[in-house]
Amino acid sequence: LPAGTISDAGEGTERQVRVWNSVGAGVKSVQKFKIETGRPVITSTDADGQAWDRAQTLTVRGYGFKSKTTGETLVALLRVDDSSGASKFDDGTTSETPSATPATGIPKAVTGIVVVSDRQLVLPINAVNNRRADGSNRRLRLARKTETASNVDKVLSLPTNPLFAAVTTKPLVSTLAQLTSGGVAFENIVGGSPTGAFKRDRILEINGTGLNTLTTIEVVQQDGSSFANPVFIQLPNAGVTVQDDGTRIQVASGTFASSEADVRSLATKRGFKLYNAVGVTDLDSTLQFAVNTQPVVDAVGGFAVAGYFNRDKTVGDDLVLLGSGLKAVQTLVLRPSGTDTAQETITLPAPGVTVTDTQITVDTQSFQIGSAADTIIDADNFRKIVKVTSERDAATSPVAQRFAVGAPPVWWTIRDTFQLTGAFGNHYVHTTGVTLAGTGFGHISLLEIVDINGNTIVGLPGLVTGPTGTGGTGLTVSNATQVIAAGNATGWSLTTHLLDSVVAGSRRVRITTPFGKVTSSATGAGSFTVSGKPALLATAQATFAGGGYSGGTNTYDASEGDLYINGTGFRGVSRIRLNVGGAATPVLDLAVDPANPPNGVSFSADGTRIIIDDAIIPAGWIGIFTARIILSTPATIGVDNNSTEITTQN
């Protein structure tokens, strides 16, 4: 007879066997024997090969669940073994901690087992009432009575029934911890942590129960709802280690790659929702936290001119930071690369500032960065980097990408000291320095003298400064509001004849910076004449020439031809006077424009010669032993360049 054919009804002594065939019943056996129930046998359960939720009922099928023997009439005890036969849950495992109450192997009495028949029973909810049974490849064993540890196999069901894939229950989280920055210990994320944040770039440890059959770990919003783009990882996952008894999992740094849940404030809370084979964790407000990762700034830019941040509201650049973990950033600090002194701080959130995990953009049309952040050319160590702060360590943009800050230049004034002081007013003497004032001058790259219409004068170079704000071709940056053009600037040494102009308002000045250009106004002190003091040559014989001049006698004879005057700087001459000795009143006082001279006067293109036609020389200057030539410029009226005396005749 196969095992289990006879039920508990056949149990007893003095039992005989009778068999039937197709003709009829046979006689009872002569031999009499005793029938006992023996050990229970489990043939199947409702969770064979699956995860059994120990917090739910379980239907078990088999035989030997009932007996007429006193003291063991019904199955009332159970044990849970692993696949090797070692007891994992029994009458000794009363504590969640194995070291406190080791397993004894003796089956545990369970109240509430419903034995439906000799062949079926139902285990009640929480028949296995702690996590000690949890794990993979578990086997249920039953008994109708207890026994000592050494004799327990006499009463336990045979270990032949199918294994559960796992014993588990609805996941429950008790603590959340992370590896510290030093990487030597774990600290609680909540309930004791100084930060209260899940740092995605550190190892995460989740402790609890029912974690052994996890299928999904999700980061959810404070109310437990998913994000629009859900943040989750599915198991199995190479970055997740699950302890077999379901009490702990570890998640490697960076396994949660999505930044959707990241926040800048610890007050913005998130939570974990865990899904396993039998259920989902409940929302627990005491285990909520912020989410972030260490901000990293890989690059800074967005500038129309590389290395120069134009902060102007209208035509300025956007300030763009590229990196990772940027949703955690709380402030942006513009500071010099050589010091930690903040010169401009942007506290987030702020209007005009957009933040993603990989990019922060400051729209200068909406968020204005002040002039305190401006730099100047001769302070390279004070060029800017961007420091970002958060609940994590501060991070800075690369020093190799430090940048200048400024705005398009704006005039205050061309300082109005006149004539031989050499500064711009209505007249500019290029032989002495001039100071120009305004804003946005700290990174001037070019100073030009332009014509009345603001156009470049062909062939006339501008002045440039050296890499530290000095040197160059005669341009010095004093600070962000002041630059100086040197007297006799080397950049103009060969082209002063192109620079000079004696017509009122015929010249203007233009400044170019990486942030823009500005040209002085066409009126007032913004437009002017340009000249230098004209210079005659060392001797009368070198200074004067022409068909009518004899160097041997130092005599000019008007009947012999025109009078030539040699020297330099003549393109800035606006007045020619012919005097006799030191007389106050000239014999001839002639206003001239070298670019458009009057009849009888001509100027060489390079400003080194003036030719006076003999026809316009007045009789009062002929027959004189003390004849003089006096040349004046618009900036030197009353300060004459007197020639040596010559003799004149006709």
Side-chain angles (χ1 to χ4, degrees):
L1 294 177
T5 301
I6 300 173
S7 71
D8 62 300
E11 184 179 355
T13 61
E14 300 292 319
R15 294 295 189 258
Q16 295 171 281
V17 176
R18 175 184 292 173
V19 298
W20 278 257
N21 66 11
S22 59
V23 177
V27 298
K28 292 186 289 184
S29 65
V30 176
Q31 295 89 350
K32 295 181 180 181
F33 53 89
K34 180 180 181 181
I35 296 179
E36 297 176 341
T37 299
R39 290 192 285 175
V41 175
I42 301 173
T43 58
S44 67
T45 73
D46 284 347
D48 289 348
Q50 304 174 42
W52 172 38
D53 181 359
R54 56 181 169 80
Q56 302 298 321
T57 62
L58 179 71
T59 299
V60 182
R61 287 168 287 277
Y63 48 89
F65 296 166
K66 298 176 71 175
S67 176
K68 293 180 180 179
T69 304
T70 303
E72 53 174 307
T73 55
L74 299 172
V75 167
L77 303 97
L78 62 79
R79 194 176 93 178
V80 178
D81 293 358
D82 64 18
S83 59
S84 71
S87 177
K88 305 303 291 185
F89 179 83
D90 55 32
D91 76 335
T93 56
T94 56
S95 167
E96 297 278 348
T97 306
S99 60
T101 55
T104 63
I106 300 172
K108 179 181 177 63
V110 175
T111 302
I113 297 177
V114 178
V115 180
V116 178
S117 68
D118 185 57
R119 297 179 179 278
Q120 180 174 313
L121 60 80
V122 179
L123 297 183
I125 292 173
N126 292 318
V128 176
N129 61 3
N130 71 45
R131 65 175 178 79
R132 295 283 291 278
D134 291 355
S136 58
N137 298 318
R138 296 295 193 251
R139 176 176 281 118
L140 176 67
R141 300 183 74 179
L142 300 174
R144 296 188 307 276
K145 69 176 181 179
T146 190
E147 185 55 271
T148 63
S150 59
N151 294 319
V152 72
D153 281 338
K154 295 179 180 180
V155 298
L156 275 175
S157 60
L158 294 170
T160 56
N161 52 299
L163 295 169
F164 301 124
V167 174
T168 189
T169 191
K170 180 179 178 178
L172 175 67
V173 177
S174 56
T175 62
L176 299 170
Q178 281 200 286
L179 204 62
T180 60
S181 58
V184 296
F186 279 85
E187 62 181 1
N188 286 336
I189 293 177
V190 292
S193 169
T195 60
F198 163 42
K199 305 174 181 69
R200 294 190 292 111
D201 52 338
R202 293 191 189 172
I203 295 174
L204 168 68
E205 182 177 273
I206 302 177
N207 299 292
T209 56
L211 308 181
N212 54 319
T213 60
L214 285 184
T215 58
T216 305
I217 305 173
E218 182 182 12
V219 180
V220 295
Q221 301 183 77
Q222 189 169 7
D223 63 0
S225 61
S226 298
F227 288 92
N229 296 308
V231 180
F232 66 94
I233 54 175
Q234 291 184 301
L235 279 65
N237 185 296
V240 181
T241 301
V242 181
Q243 193 160 301
D244 189 62
D245 66 0
T247 60
R248 183 177 68 172
I249 61 174
Q250 284 192 345
V251 182
S253 61
T255 303
F256 279 93
S258 172
S259 64
E260 183 80 9
D262 286 9
V263 293
R264 67 174 61 90
S265 170
L266 294 182
T268 303
K269 298 300 183 182
R270 308 292 192 227
F272 283 123
K273 182 181 284 188
L274 308 183
Y275 303 75
N276 75 357
V278 300
V280 182
T281 51
D282 295 323
L283 183 66
D284 186 346
S285 61
T286 67
L287 290 174
Q288 292 187 329
F289 44 82
V291 179
N292 61 41
T293 190
Q294 173 61 45
V296 175
V297 182
D298 294 321
V300 61
F303 310 142
V305 179
Y308 293 90
F309 171 39
N310 186 341
R311 60 175 179 80
D312 185 70
K313 181 178 179 65
T314 303
V315 298
D317 303 314
D318 290 341
L319 176 63
V320 179
L321 273 67
L322 302 175
S324 59
L326 302 182
K327 290 177 70 174
V329 171
Q330 296 174 335
T331 65
L332 306 179
V333 181
L334 270 68
R335 67 170 182 82
S337 60
T339 175
D340 199 25
T341 302
Q343 291 187 324
E344 183 76 27
T345 298
I346 303 172
T347 300
L348 301 179
V353 182
T354 57
V355 180
T356 69
D357 179 61
T358 58
Q359 181 169 319
I360 298 177
T361 301
V362 181
D363 180 356
T364 53
Q365 290 188 337
S366 301
F367 189 97
Q368 191 64 51
I369 293 175
S371 61
D374 287 359
T375 55
I376 58 174
I377 195 171
D378 65 343
D380 198 46
N381 284 336
F382 288 89
R383 288 198 171 209
K384 296 296 186 292
I385 58 176
V386 180
K387 174 182 177 182
V388 298
T389 66
S390 66
E391 295 293 343
R392 306 294 300 278
D393 296 334
T396 58
S397 59
V399 173
Q401 294 185 11
R402 58 189 174 181
F403 54 92
V405 181
V410 176
W411 290 114
W412 286 347
T413 183
I414 300 174
R415 295 196 172 168
D416 292 334
T417 48
F418 291 87
Q419 298 179 1
L420 293 181
T421 57
F424 282 107
N426 295 108
H427 311 291
Y428 166 47
V429 179
H430 54 68
T431 53
T432 52
V434 61
T435 300
L436 299 96
T439 60
F441 287 4
H443 289 277
I444 184 172
S445 56
L446 186 67
L447 182 147
E448 300 171 277
I449 300 298
V450 295
D451 68 17
I452 185 59
N453 297 314
N455 298 321
T456 299
I457 298 170
V458 177
L460 179 64
L463 300 184
V464 298
T465 188
T468 61
T470 59
T473 61
L475 184 64
T476 298
V477 178
S478 298
N479 50 53
T481 62
Q482 183 172 289
V483 294
I484 298 172
N488 291 320
T490 57
W492 288 329
S493 61
L494 301 178
T495 54
T496 53
H497 58 286
L498 299 175
L499 192 71
D500 291 346
S501 178
V502 302
V503 177
S506 59
R507 293 289 188 258
R508 297 162 69 185
V509 63
R510 179 167 65 205
I511 280 181
T512 299
T513 77
F515 310 110
K517 299 179 180 181
V518 64
T519 303
S520 61
S521 66
T523 59
S527 60
F528 41 84
T529 67
V530 179
S531 62
K533 188 174 182 180
L536 301 176
L537 300 183
T539 64
Q541 287 77 10
T543 298
F544 296 102
Y549 177 73
S550 171
T553 60
N554 193 26
T555 300
Y556 168 63
D557 189 329
S559 66
E560 297 293 332
D562 300 335
L563 178 64
Y564 289 24
I565 306 169
N566 298 316
T568 58
F570 292 168
R571 299 294 295 186
V573 170
S574 59
R575 186 178 179 191
I576 300 174
R577 287 175 288 172
L578 303 182
N579 267 36
V580 175
T585 302
V587 175
L588 176 66
D589 192 343
L590 189 63
V592 296
D593 173 8
N596 187 26
N599 291 333
V601 180
S602 63
F603 289 78
S604 65
D606 62 0
T608 60
R609 174 170 287 179
I610 301 172
I611 300 176
I612 302 176
D613 193 307
D614 59 80
I616 70 167
I617 295 176
W621 201 64
I622 300 300
I624 304 299
F625 293 101
T626 58
R628 293 182 181 181
I629 300 292
I630 302 174
L631 305 178
S632 302
T633 67
T636 57
I637 293 178
V639 183
D640 304 324
N641 194 340
N642 294 293
S643 72
T644 55
E645 294 177 346
I646 62 174
T647 299
T648 59
Q649 65 183 31
N650 191 354

